Amino acid sequence: MQQYMELVHELTNEFDVFTLTLVRRGQNKKADVLKKLAALAFDHLRKNVGVEVLTKKSIDEKSIVAPIVEESPNWMIPLVKLLTDGELPADEKEAQNIRMKAPMYALIEDVLYRKSYLDPSLLCIGPNQAKVVLQEVHEGSCALHSG
């Protein structure tokens, strides 16, 4: 900065009137914007973008996945019975437990979901489905990408 000031003092002799004013940072926003615009390189805007037109669908038919059937009664059965028929288990302690849990669940198109306030509802699955999901995550199409 000192070298610039010395050059300015040398050049002041060539002018009739000369004034040097300090411009504070808050008052120099327009100059900062102009400097940034001048420094931008617009080379990336000149690149061409290739467009490929697809003549046929990449997926012709929907693939139908066979649902996994839960063979034995599981933890979801009492909740589904309560939400559909209002039926509670005979055991009073278990019935109270199910009554307390029921407001956290919803039955949508005969499928049980756990409600969430900020996130989407979570699909409830039984033990057999859980085994398949874990196997798929660890060994199937998600293998090595589970993080």
Side-chain angles (χ1 to χ4, degrees), residues 67-68 70 74 76-77 79-81 83-85 105-114 122-125 129:
I68 299 157
E70 293 295 334
N74 56 51
M76 296 184 292
I77 303 296
L79 282 167
V80 171
K81 284 183 180 178
L83 293 173
T84 54
D85 306 329
Y105 293 89
L107 205 59
I108 303 169
E109 296 179 9
D110 296 330
V111 178
L112 188 65
Y113 290 90
R114 182 173 170 114
L122 304 171
L123 175 67
C124 297
I125 59 174
Q129 289 174 319

Side-chain angles (χ1 to χ4, degrees), residues 47-119:
K47 293 180 182 174
N48 293 330
V49 177
V51 176
E52 180 183 357
V53 178
L54 299 176
T55 56
K56 66 176 190 168
K57 294 180 182 178
S58 57
I59 299 175
D60 292 328
E61 296 178 11
K62 279 188 172 182
S63 59
I64 298 172
V65 179
I68 299 157
V69 179
E70 293 295 334
E71 296 171 359
S72 59
N74 56 51
W75 65 273
M76 296 184 292
I77 303 296
L79 282 167
V80 171
K81 284 183 180 178
L82 177 62
L83 293 173
T84 54
D85 306 329
E87 184 182 328
L88 284 169
D91 183 26
E92 187 60 37
K93 193 171 185 177
E94 188 178 343
Q96 183 179 356
N97 190 12
I98 296 298
R99 257 188 262 133
M100 288 175 55
K101 288 182 180 180
M104 296 183 288
Y105 293 89
L107 205 59
I108 303 169
E109 296 179 9
D110 296 330
V111 178
L112 188 65
Y113 290 90
R114 182 173 170 114
K115 294 178 186 176
S116 178
Y117 294 108
L118 300 175
D119 298 326

Side-chain angles (χ1 to χ4, degrees), residues 2 12 17 31 39 41-42 45 49 61 83-84 123-124 134 144:
Q2 183 65 34
T12 55
V17 177
F42 293 103
L45 296 177
V49 177
E61 296 178 11
L83 293 173
T84 54
L123 175 67
C124 297
L134 284 173
L144 301 177

